[in-house]
Coordinates of all heavy atoms in Angstrom, one line a residue:
M184 N 0.8 2.8 9.6 CA 0.0 1.8 9.0 C -0.2 0.6 9.9 O -1.3 0.0 9.9 CB 0.5 1.4 7.6 CG 0.4 2.3 6.5 SD -1.2 2.7 5.7 CE -2.3 2.7 6.9
R185 N 0.8 0.3 10.6 CA 0.7 -0.8 11.5 C -0.4 -0.6 12.5 O -1.2 -1.6 12.8 CB 2.0 -1.1 12.3 CG 2.0 -2.2 13.2 CD 3.3 -2.5 13.9 NE 4.4 -2.8 12.9 CZ 4.6 -4.1 12.6 NH1 4.0 -5.1 13.1 NH2 5.6 -4.3 11.7
Q186 N -0.5 0.5 13.2 CA -1.6 0.8 14.1 C -2.9 0.7 13.5 O -3.8 0.1 14.1 CB -1.4 2.2 14.7 CG -2.4 2.5 15.8 CD -2.2 3.8 16.4 OE1 -1.4 4.6 16.0 NE2 -3.0 4.1 17.4
F187 N -3.2 1.2 12.3 CA -4.4 1.0 11.6 C -4.8 -0.5 11.3 O -5.8 -0.9 11.7 CB -4.5 1.9 10.3 CG -5.7 1.6 9.5 CD1 -6.9 1.9 9.9 CD2 -5.5 0.9 8.3 CE1 -8.0 1.8 9.1 CE2 -6.7 0.7 7.5 CZ -8.0 1.0 8.0
Y188 N -3.8 -1.2 10.8 CA -4.0 -2.5 10.4 C -4.3 -3.4 11.7 O -5.2 -4.2 11.6 CB -2.8 -3.1 9.7 CG -2.9 -4.5 9.2 CD1 -3.9 -4.8 8.3 CD2 -2.1 -5.6 9.7 CE1 -4.1 -6.2 7.8 CE2 -2.3 -6.8 9.2 CZ -3.2 -7.1 8.3 OH -3.4 -8.5 7.9
E189 N -3.6 -3.2 12.8 CA -3.7 -4.0 13.9 C -4.9 -3.6 14.8 O -5.5 -4.5 15.5 CB -2.4 -4.0 14.7 CG -1.3 -4.7 14.0 CD 0.0 -4.6 14.8 OE1 0.1 -3.9 15.8 OE2 0.9 -5.3 14.4
T190 N -5.2 -2.4 14.9 CA -6.3 -1.9 15.8 C -7.5 -1.2 15.2 O -8.5 -1.1 15.8 CB -5.7 -0.8 16.8 OG1 -5.4 0.4 16.1 CG2 -4.4 -1.3 17.5
G191 N -7.3 -0.8 13.9 CA -8.4 -0.1 13.3 C -8.4 1.4 13.5 O -9.3 2.0 13.0
S192 N -7.5 1.8 14.3 CA -7.4 3.3 14.6 C -7.2 4.1 13.3 O -6.3 3.8 12.6 CB -6.3 3.6 15.6 OG -6.1 4.9 15.7
K193 N -8.0 5.1 13.2 CA -7.9 5.9 11.9 C -7.0 7.1 12.0 O -6.9 8.0 11.2 CB -9.3 6.3 11.4 CG -10.2 5.1 11.0 CD -11.6 5.6 10.6 CE -12.3 4.3 10.4 NZ -13.8 4.5 10.2
A194 N -6.3 7.2 13.2 CA -5.4 8.3 13.5 C -4.3 8.3 12.4 O -3.7 7.2 12.1 CB -4.9 8.2 14.8
G195 N -4.0 9.3 11.7 CA -3.0 9.4 10.7 C -3.5 9.0 9.3 O -2.6 9.0 8.4
I196 N -4.7 8.6 9.1 CA -5.1 8.4 7.7 C -6.4 9.2 7.5 O -7.1 9.7 8.4 CB -5.5 6.9 7.5 CG1 -6.8 6.4 8.4 CG2 -4.3 6.0 7.9 CD1 -7.3 5.1 7.9
I197 N -6.8 9.3 6.3 CA -8.1 9.9 5.9 C -9.2 8.9 6.1 O -9.1 7.8 5.6 CB -8.0 10.4 4.4 CG1 -6.9 11.5 4.3 CG2 -9.4 10.9 4.0 CD1 -6.7 12.0 2.9
A198 N -10.1 9.3 7.0 CA -11.1 8.3 7.4 C -11.9 7.7 6.1 O -12.2 6.5 6.2 CB -12.1 9.0 8.3
D199 N -12.0 8.4 5.1 CA -12.8 8.0 3.9 C -11.9 6.8 3.2 O -12.4 6.1 2.4 CB -13.0 9.0 2.9 CG -14.2 10.0 3.4 OD1 -14.9 9.6 4.3 OD2 -14.2 11.0 2.7
H200 N -10.7 6.8 3.5 CA -9.7 5.8 2.9 C -9.6 4.5 3.6 O -9.1 3.5 3.2 CB -8.3 6.3 2.7 CG -8.3 7.5 1.8 ND1 -7.0 8.1 1.6 CD2 -9.1 8.0 0.9 CE1 -7.3 9.2 0.7 NE2 -8.5 9.1 0.3
A201 N -10.3 4.4 4.8 CA -10.2 3.2 5.7 C -10.5 2.0 5.1 O -9.8 1.0 5.2 CB -10.9 3.6 7.0
K202 N -11.7 1.9 4.5 CA -12.2 0.7 3.9 C -11.2 0.1 2.8 O -10.9 -1.1 2.9 CB -13.6 0.9 3.3 CG -14.1 -0.4 2.8 CD -15.6 -0.3 2.3 CE -16.2 -1.6 1.8 NZ -17.5 -1.5 1.3
R203 N -10.8 0.9 1.9 CA -9.9 0.6 0.9 C -8.6 0.1 1.4 O -8.0 -0.8 1.0 CB -9.8 1.6 -0.2 CG -8.9 1.2 -1.4 CD -9.1 2.0 -2.6 NE -8.2 1.6 -3.6 CZ -8.4 0.6 -4.6 NH1 -9.5 0.0 -4.6 NH2 -7.5 0.4 -5.5
L204 N -8.0 1.0 2.3 CA -6.7 0.6 3.0 C -6.8 -0.7 3.6 O -5.9 -1.5 3.6 CB -6.3 1.7 3.9 CG -5.6 2.9 3.4 CD1 -5.5 4.0 4.4 CD2 -4.3 2.6 2.8
S205 N -7.9 -0.9 4.3 CA -8.0 -2.2 5.0 C -8.0 -3.4 4.0 O -7.3 -4.4 4.3 CB -9.3 -2.2 5.8 OG -9.5 -3.4 6.5
L206 N -8.7 -3.3 2.9 CA -8.7 -4.3 1.9 C -7.3 -4.6 1.3 O -6.8 -5.7 1.1 CB -9.7 -4.0 0.8 CG -11.2 -4.0 1.2 CD1 -12.0 -3.5 0.1 CD2 -11.6 -5.4 1.6
L207 N -6.6 -3.5 1.1 CA -5.2 -3.5 0.5 C -4.3 -4.2 1.4 O -3.4 -4.9 1.1 CB -4.8 -2.1 0.0 CG -5.5 -1.5 -1.2 CD1 -5.1 0.0 -1.4 CD2 -5.1 -2.3 -2.4
L208 N -4.4 -3.7 2.7 CA -3.4 -4.3 3.7 C -3.7 -5.8 4.0 O -2.7 -6.5 4.2 CB -3.6 -3.5 5.0 CG -3.0 -2.1 5.0 CD1 -3.4 -1.3 6.2 CD2 -1.5 -2.1 4.7
V209 N -4.9 -6.2 3.9 CA -5.1 -7.6 4.1 C -4.6 -8.4 2.9 O -3.9 -9.4 3.1 CB -6.7 -7.9 4.2 CG1 -7.0 -9.4 4.0 CG2 -7.2 -7.5 5.5
R210 N -4.7 -7.8 1.7 CA -4.1 -8.5 0.5 C -2.6 -8.4 0.6 O -2.0 -9.4 0.2 CB -4.6 -7.8 -0.7 CG -4.1 -8.3 -2.0 CD -4.6 -9.8 -2.2 NE -3.9 -10.3 -3.4 CZ -4.1 -11.5 -3.9 NH1 -4.9 -12.3 -3.2 NH2 -3.5 -11.9 -5.0
L211 N -2.1 -7.3 1.0 CA -0.6 -7.2 1.1 C -0.1 -8.1 2.2 O 1.0 -8.8 1.9 CB -0.2 -5.8 1.5 CG 1.3 -5.4 1.5 CD1 1.9 -5.6 0.1 CD2 1.5 -4.0 1.9
D212 N -0.7 -8.4 3.2 CA -0.3 -9.3 4.2 C -0.3 -10.8 3.7 O 0.6 -11.6 4.0 CB -1.3 -9.3 5.5 CG -0.7 -10.1 6.6 OD1 0.6 -10.1 6.9 OD2 -1.4 -10.7 7.4
A213 N -1.1 -11.1 2.8 CA -1.1 -12.4 2.1 C -0.2 -12.5 0.9 O 0.2 -13.6 0.5 CB -2.6 -12.7 1.7
A214 N 0.2 -11.4 0.4 CA 1.1 -11.4 -0.8 C 2.4 -12.0 -0.5 O 3.0 -11.8 0.6 CB 1.2 -9.9 -1.3
R215 N 3.1 -12.6 -1.5 CA 4.4 -13.1 -1.3 C 5.4 -12.5 -2.3 O 6.5 -12.8 -2.3 CB 4.4 -14.7 -1.6 CG 3.6 -15.4 -0.5 CD 4.3 -15.2 0.9 NE 3.4 -15.6 2.0 CZ 3.0 -14.7 2.9 NH1 3.4 -13.4 2.9 NH2 2.3 -15.1 3.9
Q216 N 4.8 -11.7 -3.2 CA 5.6 -10.9 -4.1 C 4.8 -9.7 -4.7 O 3.6 -9.7 -4.5 CB 6.0 -11.9 -5.4 CG 4.9 -12.3 -6.1 CD 5.3 -13.3 -7.2 OE1 6.5 -13.4 -7.5 NE2 4.3 -13.9 -7.9
P217 N 5.4 -8.7 -5.1 CA 4.7 -7.5 -5.5 C 3.6 -7.7 -6.5 O 2.5 -7.1 -6.4 CB 5.8 -6.6 -6.1 CG 7.2 -7.1 -5.5 CD 6.9 -8.6 -5.3
Q218 N 3.8 -8.7 -7.4 CA 2.8 -8.9 -8.4 C 1.5 -9.5 -7.8 O 0.5 -9.4 -8.5 CB 3.3 -9.8 -9.5 CG 4.4 -9.2 -10.3 CD 5.8 -9.2 -9.6 OE1 6.1 -9.8 -8.5 NE2 6.6 -8.4 -10.2
D219 N 1.6 -10.0 -6.6 CA 0.3 -10.4 -6.0 C -0.6 -9.3 -5.7 O -1.9 -9.5 -5.4 CB 0.6 -11.2 -4.7 CG 1.3 -12.5 -4.9 OD1 1.2 -13.0 -6.0 OD2 2.0 -13.0 -3.9
M220 N -0.1 -8.0 -5.8 CA -0.9 -6.9 -5.5 C -1.5 -6.3 -6.8 O -2.2 -5.3 -6.8 CB -0.1 -5.8 -4.8 CG 0.3 -6.1 -3.4 SD -1.1 -6.5 -2.3 CE -1.8 -4.8 -2.2
D221 N -1.2 -6.9 -7.9 CA -1.7 -6.4 -9.2 C -3.1 -6.9 -9.5 O -3.4 -7.8 -10.3 CB -0.7 -7.0 -10.4 CG -1.0 -6.2 -11.6 OD1 -1.7 -5.2 -11.7 OD2 -0.4 -6.7 -12.6
L222 N -4.1 -6.3 -8.8 CA -5.5 -6.6 -9.0 C -6.2 -5.4 -9.7 O -5.7 -4.3 -9.7 CB -6.1 -6.7 -7.6 CG -5.4 -7.7 -6.6 CD1 -5.9 -7.6 -5.2 CD2 -5.7 -9.1 -7.2
P223 N -7.3 -5.8 -10.3 CA -8.0 -4.7 -11.0 C -8.2 -3.4 -10.2 O -8.7 -3.6 -8.9 CB -9.3 -5.3 -11.3 CG -9.1 -6.8 -11.4 CD -8.0 -7.1 -10.3
G224 N -7.9 -2.3 -10.5 CA -8.0 -1.1 -9.8 C -7.0 -0.7 -8.9 O -7.0 0.4 -8.3
T225 N -6.0 -1.5 -8.7 CA -4.9 -1.2 -7.8 C -3.7 -0.3 -8.4 O -3.1 0.4 -7.7 CB -4.2 -2.4 -7.1 OG1 -3.7 -3.1 -8.2 CG2 -5.2 -3.2 -6.3
R226 N -3.7 -0.4 -9.8 CA -2.6 0.4 -10.5 C -1.2 0.2 -9.9 O -0.5 1.0 -9.7 CB -3.0 1.9 -10.4 CG -4.3 2.2 -11.0 CD -4.6 3.7 -10.9 NE -6.0 4.0 -11.1 CZ -6.6 5.2 -10.9 NH1 -5.8 6.2 -10.5 NH2 -7.8 5.3 -11.1
L227 N -1.0 -1.1 -9.6 CA 0.4 -1.5 -9.2 C 1.5 -1.0 -10.1 O 1.4 -1.1 -11.3 CB 0.5 -3.0 -9.1 CG 2.0 -3.6 -8.7 CD1 2.2 -3.3 -7.2 CD2 2.0 -5.1 -9.0
H228 N 2.5 -0.4 -9.5 CA 3.7 0.2 -10.3 C 4.9 0.2 -9.4 O 4.8 0.5 -8.2 CB 3.4 1.4 -10.9 CG 3.0 2.6 -10.1 ND1 1.7 2.7 -9.4 CD2 3.7 3.6 -9.5 CE1 1.7 3.8 -8.6 NE2 2.9 4.3 -8.7
P229 N 6.1 -0.1 -10.1 CA 7.3 0.1 -9.4 C 7.7 1.6 -9.2 O 7.4 2.4 -10.1 CB 8.3 -0.6 -10.2 CG 7.7 -0.5 -11.6 CD 6.3 -0.5 -11.5
L230 N 8.4 1.9 -8.1 CA 8.8 3.3 -8.0 C 10.3 3.4 -8.4 O 11.0 2.5 -8.5 CB 8.7 3.7 -6.5 CG 7.2 3.6 -6.0 CD1 7.2 4.0 -4.5 CD2 6.4 4.5 -6.8
K231 N 10.7 4.6 -8.6 CA 12.0 4.9 -9.2 C 12.8 5.9 -8.3 O 12.3 6.4 -7.3 CB 11.9 5.5 -10.6 CG 11.3 4.6 -11.5 CD 11.0 5.3 -12.9 CE 10.2 4.4 -13.8 NZ 9.9 5.1 -15.0
G232 N 14.0 6.2 -8.6 CA 14.8 7.2 -7.9 C 15.1 6.7 -6.5 O 15.5 5.5 -6.3
D233 N 14.9 7.6 -5.5 CA 15.1 7.3 -4.1 C 14.3 6.1 -3.6 O 14.7 5.5 -2.6 CB 14.9 8.5 -3.2 CG 15.8 9.6 -3.5 OD1 16.9 9.4 -4.0 OD2 15.6 10.7 -3.0
M234 N 13.2 5.8 -4.4 CA 12.3 4.7 -3.8 C 12.5 3.5 -4.7 O 11.6 2.6 -4.7 CB 10.8 5.2 -3.9 CG 10.5 6.4 -3.0 SD 10.5 5.9 -1.3 CE 9.1 4.8 -1.1
D235 N 13.6 3.5 -5.4 CA 13.9 2.2 -6.3 C 13.8 1.0 -5.4 O 14.3 0.9 -4.3 CB 15.2 2.3 -7.0 CG 15.5 1.2 -7.9 OD1 14.6 0.9 -8.7 OD2 16.6 0.7 -8.0
G236 N 13.1 -0.1 -5.9 CA 13.0 -1.3 -5.1 C 11.6 -1.3 -4.4 O 11.2 -2.3 -3.9
F237 N 10.9 -0.2 -4.4 CA 9.6 -0.1 -3.8 C 8.5 -0.1 -4.9 O 8.7 0.1 -6.0 CB 9.4 1.2 -3.0 CG 10.1 1.2 -1.6 CD1 11.5 1.4 -1.6 CD2 9.4 1.1 -0.5 CE1 12.1 1.3 -0.3 CE2 10.0 1.1 0.7 CZ 11.4 1.2 0.8
W238 N 7.3 -0.4 -4.4 CA 6.1 -0.5 -5.2 C 5.0 0.3 -4.7 O 5.1 0.6 -3.5 CB 5.6 -2.0 -5.3 CG 6.6 -2.9 -6.0 CD1 7.8 -3.4 -5.5 CD2 6.6 -3.3 -7.4 NE1 8.4 -4.2 -6.4 CE2 7.7 -4.1 -7.6 CE3 5.7 -3.1 -8.4 CZ2 8.0 -4.8 -8.8 CZ3 6.0 -3.8 -9.6 CH2 7.1 -4.5 -9.8
A239 N 4.1 0.6 -5.5 CA 2.9 1.4 -5.0 C 1.6 0.9 -5.6 O 1.6 0.4 -6.7 CB 3.1 2.9 -5.3
V240 N 0.5 1.0 -4.8 CA -0.8 0.8 -5.3 C -1.6 2.0 -5.0 O -1.4 2.7 -4.0 CB -1.4 -0.5 -4.8 CG1 -0.8 -1.8 -5.3 CG2 -1.5 -0.6 -3.3
W241 N -2.6 2.2 -5.8 CA -3.5 3.4 -5.7 C -4.5 3.2 -4.5 O -5.2 2.2 -4.4 CB -4.2 3.5 -7.1 CG -5.2 4.7 -7.0 CD1 -4.9 6.0 -7.2 CD2 -6.6 4.7 -7.1 NE1 -6.0 6.8 -7.2 CE2 -7.2 6.0 -7.2 CE3 -7.5 3.5 -7.0 CZ2 -8.4 6.2 -7.2 CZ3 -8.8 3.9 -7.1 CH2 -9.3 5.2 -7.2
V242 N -4.7 4.2 -3.8 CA -5.7 4.3 -2.7 C -6.8 5.1 -3.2 O -8.0 4.7 -3.3 CB -5.2 4.7 -1.3 CG1 -6.2 4.8 -0.3 CG2 -4.0 3.8 -0.9
S243 N -6.6 6.4 -3.4 CA -7.6 7.4 -3.8 C -6.8 8.7 -4.2 O -5.9 9.1 -3.4 CB -8.6 7.7 -2.7 OG -9.5 8.5 -3.2
G244 N -7.2 9.3 -5.3 CA -6.6 10.6 -5.7 C -5.1 10.4 -5.7 O -4.6 9.6 -6.5
N245 N -4.4 11.2 -5.0 CA -2.9 11.2 -5.0 C -2.4 10.2 -4.0 O -1.2 10.0 -3.9 CB -2.4 12.6 -4.6 CG -2.6 13.6 -5.7 OD1 -2.8 13.3 -6.9 ND2 -2.7 14.8 -5.3
W246 N -3.2 9.6 -3.2 CA -2.7 8.7 -2.1 C -2.4 7.3 -2.5 O -3.2 6.7 -3.4 CB -3.9 8.7 -1.0 CG -3.9 9.9 -0.3 CD1 -4.7 11.0 -0.6 CD2 -3.1 10.4 0.9 NE1 -4.5 12.1 0.3 CE2 -3.5 11.7 1.2 CE3 -2.2 9.7 1.6 CZ2 -3.0 12.4 2.2 CZ3 -1.6 10.4 2.7 CH2 -2.0 11.7 3.0
R247 N -1.2 6.8 -2.1 CA -0.8 5.5 -2.5 C -0.4 4.7 -1.3 O 0.1 5.3 -0.2 CB 0.4 5.6 -3.4 CG 0.2 6.4 -4.7 CD -0.7 5.7 -5.6 NE -0.8 6.5 -6.9 CZ -1.6 7.5 -7.1 NH1 -2.5 7.9 -6.2 NH2 -1.7 8.1 -8.3
L248 N -0.4 3.5 -1.3 CA 0.2 2.6 -0.4 C 1.4 2.1 -1.0 O 1.5 1.5 -2.1 CB -0.8 1.3 -0.1 CG -0.3 0.4 1.0 CD1 -0.5 1.1 2.4 CD2 -1.3 -0.8 1.0
T249 N 2.6 2.4 -0.3 CA 3.9 1.9 -0.8 C 4.5 0.8 0.0 O 4.2 0.8 1.2 CB 4.9 3.1 -0.9 OG1 5.1 3.6 0.4 CG2 4.4 4.3 -1.8
F250 N 5.3 0.1 -0.6 CA 5.9 -1.1 0.1 C 7.1 -1.6 -0.7 O 7.2 -1.4 -1.9 CB 4.8 -2.1 0.4 CG 4.1 -2.6 -0.9 CD1 4.6 -3.7 -1.7 CD2 3.0 -1.9 -1.4 CE1 4.0 -4.0 -2.9 CE2 2.4 -2.3 -2.5 CZ 2.8 -3.4 -3.3
C251 N 7.9 -2.5 0.0 CA 8.9 -3.3 -0.7 C 8.7 -4.7 -0.1 O 7.9 -4.9 0.8 CB 10.2 -2.7 -0.5 SG 10.9 -2.8 1.2
F252 N 9.5 -5.6 -0.7 CA 9.5 -7.0 -0.2 C 10.9 -7.4 0.2 O 11.9 -7.1 -0.5 CB 8.9 -7.9 -1.3 CG 7.5 -8.1 -1.3 CD1 6.6 -7.2 -1.8 CD2 6.9 -9.2 -0.7 CE1 5.3 -7.3 -1.8 CE2 5.5 -9.4 -0.6 CZ 4.7 -8.4 -1.2
T253 N 10.9 -8.1 1.3 CA 12.2 -8.8 1.8 C 11.8 -10.2 1.8 O 11.0 -10.6 2.6 CB 12.5 -8.2 3.2 OG1 12.7 -6.8 3.2 CG2 13.8 -8.9 3.6
G254 N 12.4 -10.9 0.8 CA 11.9 -12.3 0.7 C 10.5 -12.3 0.3 O 10.1 -11.7 -0.7
S255 N 9.7 -13.1 1.0 CA 8.3 -13.1 0.6 C 7.4 -12.3 1.6 O 6.2 -12.6 1.7 CB 7.9 -14.6 0.6 OG 8.0 -15.2 1.9
D256 N 8.0 -11.3 2.3 CA 7.2 -10.5 3.3 C 7.3 -9.0 2.8 O 8.4 -8.5 2.5 CB 7.9 -10.6 4.6 CG 7.8 -12.0 5.3 OD1 6.7 -12.7 5.1 OD2 8.8 -12.5 5.9
A257 N 6.1 -8.4 2.9 CA 6.1 -7.0 2.6 C 6.7 -6.2 3.8 O 6.6 -6.5 4.9 CB 4.7 -6.5 2.5
D258 N 7.5 -5.2 3.4 CA 8.2 -4.4 4.5 C 8.0 -2.9 4.1 O 7.6 -2.5 3.0 CB 9.7 -4.6 4.4 CG 10.1 -5.8 5.3 OD1 9.4 -6.1 6.2 OD2 11.1 -6.4 4.9
D259 N 8.4 -2.0 5.1 CA 8.4 -0.6 4.9 C 7.1 -0.1 4.2 O 7.1 0.7 3.3 CB 9.5 -0.2 4.0 CG 10.9 -0.4 4.8 OD1 10.9 -0.2 6.0 OD2 11.9 -0.7 4.1
V260 N 5.9 -0.6 4.8 CA 4.7 -0.2 4.3 C 4.4 1.2 4.7 O 4.5 1.6 5.9 CB 3.5 -1.2 4.8 CG1 2.2 -0.8 4.2 CG2 3.8 -2.6 4.3
D261 N 3.8 2.0 3.8 CA 3.6 3.5 4.1 C 2.4 3.9 3.2 O 2.0 3.3 2.2 CB 4.8 4.4 3.8 CG 4.7 5.7 4.6 OD1 3.8 5.9 5.4 OD2 5.7 6.4 4.4
Y262 N 1.8 4.9 3.7 CA 0.5 5.5 3.1 C 1.0 6.9 2.9 O 1.2 7.7 3.8 CB -0.6 5.5 4.2 CG -1.8 6.2 3.9 CD1 -2.7 5.9 2.9 CD2 -2.2 7.3 4.9 CE1 -3.9 6.7 2.7 CE2 -3.4 8.0 4.7 CZ -4.2 7.7 3.7 OH -5.4 8.4 3.5
V263 N 1.1 7.3 1.6 CA 1.7 8.6 1.2 C 0.8 9.4 0.2 O 0.2 8.8 -0.7 CB 3.1 8.5 0.7 CG1 4.0 7.9 1.7 CG2 3.2 7.6 -0.6
D264 N 1.0 10.7 0.2 CA 0.4 11.5 -0.8 C 1.5 11.8 -1.8 O 2.4 12.5 -1.5 CB -0.2 12.8 -0.2 CG -0.8 13.8 -1.1 OD1 -0.7 13.6 -2.3 OD2 -1.4 14.7 -0.6
Y265 N 1.2 11.4 -3.0 CA 2.3 11.5 -4.0 C 2.6 13.0 -4.4 O 3.7 13.4 -4.9 CB 1.9 10.8 -5.3 CG 2.4 9.5 -5.5 CD1 2.9 8.7 -4.5 CD2 2.5 8.8 -6.7 CE1 3.4 7.5 -4.7 CE2 2.9 7.6 -7.0 CZ 3.4 6.9 -5.9 OH 3.9 5.7 -6.1
H266 N 1.7 13.9 -4.2 CA 1.9 15.3 -4.7 C 1.7 16.3 -3.7 O 0.9 16.3 -2.9 CB 1.0 15.5 -5.9 CG 1.2 14.6 -7.1 ND1 2.3 14.7 -7.9 CD2 0.5 13.5 -7.5 CE1 2.2 13.7 -8.8 NE2 1.1 13.0 -8.6

């Protein structure tokens, strides 16, 4: 995700998701807590089990942007297919 966010390279992502991912990443960069990502259509939700402490927002279909917060900074940002 870092490469996409910093350079716009679509390597490793579905090209059709680029616009939404870009918007979500800009918002995540500005966020200071998980609830800052609770915007209409994002479907913000906490994760459980091995991912306890992480949060996810909807990108498209089964694809989610996952992240956690360390203090007021988003960490461990990933783009994953849930199923």
Side-chain angles (χ1 to χ4, degrees):
M184 288 287 37
R185 179 178 298 269
Q186 183 179 4
F187 171 69
Y188 184 62
E189 291 178 353
T190 70
S192 171
K193 295 178 186 169
I196 70 164
I197 296 173
D199 289 346
H200 295 174
K202 183 177 180 180
R203 181 159 177 90
L204 276 171
S205 181
L206 293 171
L207 289 169
L208 290 169
V209 166
R210 180 63 185 181
L211 186 59
D212 191 35
R215 295 295 165 242
Q216 61 183 351
Q218 293 75 14
D219 292 341
M220 294 299 292
D221 193 13
L222 305 168
T225 61
R226 304 179 194 170
L227 174 70
H228 58 281
L230 300 178
K231 300 175 185 174
D233 292 344
M234 296 291 291
D235 188 43
F237 282 76
W238 294 78
V240 290
W241 178 75
V242 176
S243 180
N245 294 332
W246 290 90
R247 305 292 185 272
L248 186 67
T249 62
F250 53 90
C251 67
F252 270 80
T253 302
S255 61
D256 295 318
D258 278 332
D259 296 322
V260 178
D261 202 1
Y262 166 69
V263 298
D264 183 350
Y265 263 20
H266 302 286

